[in-house]
């Protein structure tokens, strides 16, 4: 979504509302973006200081790190930036402070591009279907029950060091 903020720059309006579909460029490996990402908010010009305040929601799919089930969630984050529409801040400073500034080209603001970088960093390092997901049985590979047990009856392998110890004390 590209927004024309020229009316704001010319003083024809003091505020532009945003409620639009956004298309983030990419998700990290292991994640897939689902359709329906949106950005909602507004851009306000208060005496030449232009501020974007918005919230972004991005549906995605990933896999539980423990049981490997598909998990669908939505990233929700605030996306607030100072919009620089003139030469008051150098490109270098804008790039170094992309958490604070947004650049416009001829009064056009590319929100997809702006949001993409932030979206990428919002994904969780580890995705779980639930905080107490017990994971998979390490004997048969099936999903464990909520109590962490599996009906396959798989038993933990004995540590060979215990076998050596048992050999020393055959009666026990
Ligand atoms: Zn899980
Ligand atoms: Zn099992």
């Amino acid at each position: 979504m590209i927004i024309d903020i020229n009316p704001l720059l010319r003083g024809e309006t003091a505020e532009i509302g945003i409620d639009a579909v956004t298309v983030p460029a990419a998700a990290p490996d292991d994640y897939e973006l689902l359709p329906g990402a949106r950005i909602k908010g507004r851009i306000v010009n208060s005496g030449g200081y232009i501020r974007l305040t918005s919230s972004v929601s991005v549906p995605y799919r990933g896999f539980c790190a423990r049981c490997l089930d598909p998990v669908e969630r939505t990233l929700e984050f605030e996306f607030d930036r100072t919009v620089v529409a003139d030469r008051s801040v150098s490109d270098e400073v804008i790039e170094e402070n992309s958490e604070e500034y947004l650049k416009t080209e001829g009064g056009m603001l590319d929100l997809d591009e702006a949001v993409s970088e932030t979206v990428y960093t919002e994904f969780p390092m580890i995705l779980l279907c639930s905080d107490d997901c017990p994971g998979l049985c390490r004997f048969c590979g099936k999903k464990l029950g909520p109590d962490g047990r599996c009906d396959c009856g798989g038993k933990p392998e004995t540590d060979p060091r215990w076998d050596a110890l048992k050999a020393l004390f055959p009666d026990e």
Side-chain angles (χ1 to χ4, degrees), residues 64 67 129 133:
C64 174
C67 71
C129 63
C133 171

Side-chain angles (χ1 to χ4, degrees), residues 63-69 71 127-130 132-135 143:
F63 295 91
C64 174
R66 289 190 199 144
C67 71
L68 311 180
D69 272 0
V71 179
L127 182 65
L128 295 175
C129 63
S130 70
D132 52 3
C133 171
K143 200 174 167 178

